[in-house]
Amino acid sequence: MKKLLFTLLASAAIFTSCTQKNEYVIYGTVSKPDLEGAKIFLVPMNGPIKENMDSTYIKNLSFEFRGTEERLVDIRLERMRRFGTESLLVVTEPGEIYVSIGEISFGRGTPQNDTLQVWKDLTLEFVQQAKPLFKRGDEEGFKNLQESYYKRTSQMASNVGLNSTLGAFLDERVKEDTK
């Protein structure tokens, strides 16, 4: 009897740990109190949207998504509540992902999402530095800055792995922009 009970408990523990290994959990918060009760969406960046989209409601200024499929998604508010908030790209890789949706949104918690946030910050920095160069007509300065940005993005893609969800996305961005 003890052997049977031990076997059942061990099997349950193994099943639970296998399920948890492949699961992602997105713990999200919003910064604006007027978003209480708003619908928020997890929208896939590739493939059919309607069949693969998930949604939930914001309660106590927070929300949560769970799943097992790794993909690149966009977290966004319902259309009428988006003003003044930024949607956020996230990789639904196994683990706990923490996001904050607001005027400037951010995410962290898993290797690909930590790298994605660094890339987002790098992209914002690039845009801020590029604007004055572009306005002044400094084509050479802009070209040098752009080459540096592409090189760093390409290096990030390699570091995270070109076969990973984020690596493939970053690599594609560089290839599209340098055509």
Side-chain angles (χ1 to χ4, degrees), residues 40-150:
I40 193 158
F41 297 90
L42 198 64
V43 181
M45 297 304 293
N46 298 313
I49 292 176
K50 291 199 183 229
E51 294 85 11
N52 296 305
M53 186 169 49
D54 194 2
S55 66
T56 190
Y57 289 93
I58 296 168
K59 184 176 181 184
N60 297 323
L61 302 181
S62 63
F63 59 92
E64 186 177 301
F65 290 104
R66 290 176 178 269
T68 56
E69 182 182 354
E70 183 172 318
R71 58 194 175 153
L72 187 68
V73 298
D74 185 38
I75 299 177
R76 64 176 82 150
L77 289 160
E78 58 188 303
R79 189 177 313 258
M80 300 304 289
R81 309 283 288 273
R82 287 184 200 160
F83 183 76
T85 61
E86 178 182 56
S87 63
L88 182 68
L89 286 179
V90 172
V91 177
T92 58
E93 68 181 312
E96 294 181 343
I97 304 161
Y98 300 91
V99 302
S100 179
I101 304 299
E103 189 174 329
I104 297 177
S105 298
F106 64 89
R108 65 173 178 78
T110 59
Q112 290 185 80
N113 284 295
D114 291 347
T115 301
L116 184 56
Q117 184 61 46
V118 170
W119 179 74
K120 178 187 173 194
D121 295 341
L122 173 69
T123 302
L124 291 173
E125 182 182 314
F126 165 73
V127 169
Q128 289 173 346
Q129 292 176 354
K131 281 181 184 178
L133 296 173
F134 194 75
K135 281 184 181 179
R136 285 195 309 261
D138 184 353
E139 290 181 31
E140 185 67 27
F142 178 78
K143 184 179 177 185
N144 290 337
L145 180 65
Q146 189 176 41
E147 285 177 12
S148 174
Y149 171 73
Y150 290 148

Side-chain angles (χ1 to χ4, degrees), residues 12-22:
I14 289 169
F15 177 76
T16 302
S17 69
C18 288
T19 303
Q20 290 174 346
K21 267 187 199 175
N22 296 324

